[in-house]
Amino acid sequence: MLSTETDMAFESATALTARLRAREISSSELLRNYRARIDRFNPAINAVVTLDERAFEQATAADAALARGESWGPLHGLPITIKDSLETAGLRTTAGAPEYAAHIPTRDADAVARLRAAGAIVFGKTNLPAYAADCQTFNPIFGTTRNPWNLERAVGGSSGGAAAAVAAGLTGLDLGSDLGGSIRNPAGYCGVYGLRPSYGLIPTRGHVPGPPGSLVELDMATVGPLTRGPRTSGLRSTSWPGQMPPTPPRGA
């Protein structure tokens, strides 16, 4: 059983979703726990840069649905965060760029929409360098993200806020993006799991850059999870197709 704030904060998303389904914990309880930890630890780490108050209503609805025997999917009621380069409907998405500081999308990035459809509750956005275009995590809007294991150390980039939030127990999991190491590099710096899926497996539409609100697919970029456990990194059934394409025969 989960008995303390720390227990809940550092359980893997796989374990948490199982406990949510078993009603050992509630989505509302888990969200309140993450928010309390953000209030306590995030001022020093600066990993989570925007919060969505609508998440509390969504968590309450998730708990009520589960009590009625309904399931929203494999991530039912799990509170998660999203890298601030991926658009989130009604929630500011800046890509760390001053010209987008007030940008509020009207639709989710495709991968974010799939996570919501699987039952996840998006409650915040995580920091990154401007335009997700560096191997560190600083931008002129939100400043620097610091490593939760040592505040004098860097978190890498560009999904540095995502990795730091997962490592500090501020979120159930985070959705990041990677072209040249932007998931893998900060995951290594912060001691968490990060997956760069095969190119084209997860849609990148709704990532900034390209232009906000666009349906542009970024060449060679991927979207993938940062988690506290290796099993959670294989969430194919939620944000990408459950069936992998067949392996071609040798020589094909």
Side-chain angles (χ1 to χ4, degrees):
M1 292 291 291
L2 299 179
S3 58
T4 68
E5 169 191 314
T6 302
D7 287 337
M8 282 193 284
F10 292 103
E11 280 278 0
S12 71
T14 301
L16 288 171
T17 52
R19 289 186 164 95
L20 286 164
R21 286 192 298 272
R23 299 180 65 189
E24 295 176 5
I25 56 173
S26 70
S27 178
S28 300
E29 177 186 11
L30 191 53
L31 177 58
R32 287 194 301 269
N33 186 61
Y34 288 138
R35 286 293 299 265
R37 289 184 62 83
I38 287 170
D39 289 345
R40 181 179 177 186
F41 297 112
N42 195 60
I45 300 169
N46 194 34
V48 180
V49 293
T50 300
L51 291 166
D52 193 342
E53 299 302 325
R54 299 172 299 175
F56 286 105
E57 291 183 12
Q58 295 163 7
T60 299
D63 293 335
L66 200 59
R68 295 191 299 267
E70 300 172 8
S71 173
W72 293 352
L75 298 182
H76 185 118
L78 181 69
I80 68 170
T81 48
I82 303 292
K83 183 180 180 180
D84 200 30
S85 57
L86 288 154
E87 291 194 300
T88 41
L91 184 63
R92 181 171 62 168
T93 301
T94 75
E99 57 267 43
Y100 300 144
H103 172 54
I104 300 178
T106 57
R107 62 177 288 166
D108 286 325
D110 285 4
V112 174
R114 290 186 182 187
L115 287 169
R116 290 196 206 264
I121 296 173
V122 175
F123 75 95
K125 306 297 289 289
T126 50
N127 206 19
L128 73 169
Y131 302 106
D134 209 334
C135 57
Q136 51 77 40
T137 298
F138 163 85
N139 67 66
I141 304 172
F142 300 117
T144 301
T145 297
R146 301 184 183 279
N147 197 304
W149 302 110
N150 183 336
L151 297 178
E152 299 302 314
R153 303 288 184 180
V155 294
S158 63
S159 304
V166 171
L170 308 183
T171 183
L173 62 86
D174 196 285
L175 185 67
S177 59
D178 188 312
L179 191 150
S182 286
I183 289 174
R184 295 160 290 167
N185 170 269
Y189 276 48
C190 294
V192 298
Y193 290 84
L195 175 66
R196 173 188 164 93
S198 298
Y199 175 64
L201 192 59
I202 305 177
T204 59
R205 293 190 299 177
H207 187 282
V208 183
S214 73
L215 297 181
V216 172
E217 292 278 8
L218 298 176
D219 188 30
M220 294 310 298
T222 63
V223 173
L226 292 98
T227 70
R228 284 185 290 275
R231 290 186 63 194
T232 315
S233 297
L235 289 168
R236 290 197 191 99
S237 62
T238 59
S239 60
W240 50 88
Q243 296 297 320
M244 297 287 287
T247 302
R250 290 190 179 185

